[in-house]
Amino acid sequence: MKETKILNGTKAIEEGARLILSGELVVFPTETVYGLGADAFNEKAVGDIFKAKGRPQDNPLIVHISSIDQVKDVAKDVPDAFYTIAEKFMPGPISVVLKKGDKVPYGVTAGGETVAVRMPENKVARALISASTPLAAPSANKSKHVSPTTAEHVYDDLKGEVALIIDDGPCKVGIESTVLDLTTDIPTVLRPGAVTVEMLGEVLGEVVASGKVIKIAKSPGMKYTHYAPKVKTVVAVSPQHAVEEYDKCVREGGNPILVYRNIYKDVTGDRRIIDLGVSPEDYARRIYSALREGEQIADEIIIEELHGGGIEYSVMNRVYKSAGDKLV
Ligand code: TXA
Ligand code: MG
């Protein structure tokens, strides 16, 4: 049994990188769920992941990278579709299955010739990878248990099995990444996630999901900028991110506004806000007028992101375009 430390901040990243490079397991945060990481090129360390989790050997691991360029270190014959997906959704909650690179041990891929590659959005995760090496990592739970979205969840499952848990608070997405296979004739969604089938269809034209081919015609309007206010507009992936962006803008002499629902008043405090109400329906109803108002009275608009399906998905389709896909 190891002593399991829980740390956060820069020291945790430095310590984590050191441990990874010496062949240890380190739990790190991502925006989806916490991951149980090992040096993806170290066969023994990768084997230890399976032991710590009690995971069946035939279930392959995702390799996490910190820059798009790094894909070349872990995969080969990378198709153009990968870069299309990367431009739209990376860093973010999507893993893409590609041809395995020669340096990746078969322990990672469960003996297969393909490898799943993911660039997490979480900055701590990327800092850890940058400071060490690509990380093979499954969710940091005991096999078959619920995926962990806080450091405490991880500790409950894996105390004594890992040297370090890097704590970055609760995960923002909360469900595991979308897994998209690009080694099939038509791109195939193996696991749905926050990057939805519809989103992938819009970008790729057609995808297979749940065994069905789903074709999503690109409407002619797609190539134009839509719904764009005349001032800088960004979508905040969380109220905390919104507040950080707002405060940064003020420090730089700007005049920002939050376009937000009032249910986050405890986070947004007395910062300037255009109130989108409470429900997603309120939000949808008010968003266009809020954007028009915002461009009159501010030089940066920071919009709340909705994360659900249905109306939330539909309204975000517009809002992302308003922001030219700029996320903070
Ligand atoms: O959000 C996530 O993906 C999290 C964080 C830590 O990144 N990771 C995660 O890993 O959920 P895991 O191991 O719990 O789930 C990985 C899924 C499994 O269903 C696995 O079978 C699939 O991805 N997978 C991995 N490599 C694959 C490959 N080469 N081909 C097909 N499926 C693969
Ligand atoms: Mg899992």
Side-chain angles (χ1 to χ4, degrees):
M1 288 287 266
K2 295 184 167 72
E3 191 208 340
T4 301
K5 279 189 283 190
I6 304 181
L7 298 174
N8 60 24
T10 317
K11 266 197 58 194
I13 293 167
E14 282 167 11
E15 174 75 353
R18 194 186 61 73
L19 288 165
I20 289 288
L21 292 174
S22 63
E24 298 276 343
L25 304 183
V26 172
V27 173
F28 62 98
T30 85
E31 71 279 17
T32 57
V33 300
Y34 277 77
L36 172 59
D39 176 351
F41 304 121
N42 181 334
E43 182 110 55
K44 164 155 188 324
V46 167
D48 288 343
I49 290 178
F50 289 83
K51 287 189 206 139
K53 275 190 68 117
R55 181 181 178 102
Q57 296 285 341
D58 65 354
N59 195 2
L61 305 176
I62 296 169
V63 176
H64 298 69
I65 58 177
S66 59
S67 71
I68 297 301
D69 224 34
Q70 243 174 5
V71 72
K72 297 186 203 112
D73 296 340
V74 299
K76 64 182 175 194
D77 306 337
V78 178
D80 289 346
F82 172 82
Y83 294 100
T84 307
I85 291 293
E87 194 179 320
K88 273 298 235 200
F89 304 117
M90 292 183 190
I94 184 165
S95 304
V96 178
V97 176
L98 300 166
K99 269 199 210 161
K100 184 184 98 64
D102 297 331
K103 274 166 56 189
V104 176
Y106 283 106
V108 171
T109 65
E113 294 300 332
T114 64
V115 63
V117 181
R118 151 154 154 76
M119 179 172 164
E121 198 263 340
N122 182 285
K123 293 201 171 81
V124 174
R126 277 187 282 143
L128 176 68
I129 298 162
S130 298
S132 57
T133 180
L135 298 177
S139 49
N141 50 285
K142 282 283 184 194
S143 191
K144 307 223 167 71
H145 197 201
V146 181
S147 290
T149 57
T150 67
E152 290 72 29
H153 296 165
V154 177
Y155 190 77
D156 289 343
D157 272 22
L158 295 179
K159 65 172 165 303
E161 307 275 359
V162 294
L164 174 63
I165 299 170
I166 303 179
D167 187 0
D168 189 38
C171 300
K172 284 187 313 218
V173 174
I175 60 167
E176 303 85 343
S177 64
T178 305
V179 178
L180 175 72
D181 190 348
L182 288 183
T183 69
T184 46
D185 282 348
I186 301 174
T188 302
V189 177
L190 301 179
R191 178 172 73 181
V195 176
T196 64
V197 173
E198 292 89 339
M199 289 155 87
L200 294 168
E202 269 191 14
V203 174
L204 296 171
E206 58 179 4
V207 289
V208 176
S210 311
K212 289 198 295 264
V213 179
I214 297 169
K215 290 187 198 237
I216 299 179
K218 288 198 177 178
S219 61
M222 291 286 296
K223 60 182 180 289
Y224 303 111
T225 306
H226 275 88
Y227 321 114
K230 297 186 182 103
V231 297
K232 180 180 177 187
T233 302
V234 298
V235 174
V237 299
S238 75
Q240 286 76 16
H241 284 76
V243 162
E244 267 174 45
E245 175 69 15
Y246 183 105
D247 292 350
K248 191 178 101 196
C249 179
V250 169
R251 279 198 304 278
E252 291 167 1
N255 185 24
I257 190 107
L258 297 171
V259 172
Y260 246 79
R261 286 182 296 163
N262 59 40
I263 54 176
Y264 296 113
K265 269 251 172 306
D266 56 334
V267 185
T268 56
D270 52 15
R271 294 170 183 85
R272 288 204 310 162
I273 190 167
I274 299 174
D275 183 355
L276 291 177
V278 176
S279 66
E281 287 77 13
D282 289 340
Y283 182 124
R285 198 163 43 244
R286 295 182 188 190
I287 186 69
Y288 284 165
S289 66
L291 296 179
R292 280 172 182 266
E293 187 186 342
E295 70 185 6
Q296 301 299 323
I297 61 173
D299 55 22
E300 178 169 344
I301 299 173
I302 302 161
I303 316 175
E304 176 187 353
E305 182 170 47
L306 297 177
H307 303 276
I311 185 74
E312 303 194 36
Y313 174 71
S314 303
V315 74
M316 289 314 294
N317 171 275
R318 312 303 189 283
V319 168
Y320 291 132
K321 288 184 186 122
S322 298
D325 291 316
K326 280 191 294 296
L327 300 183
V328 295

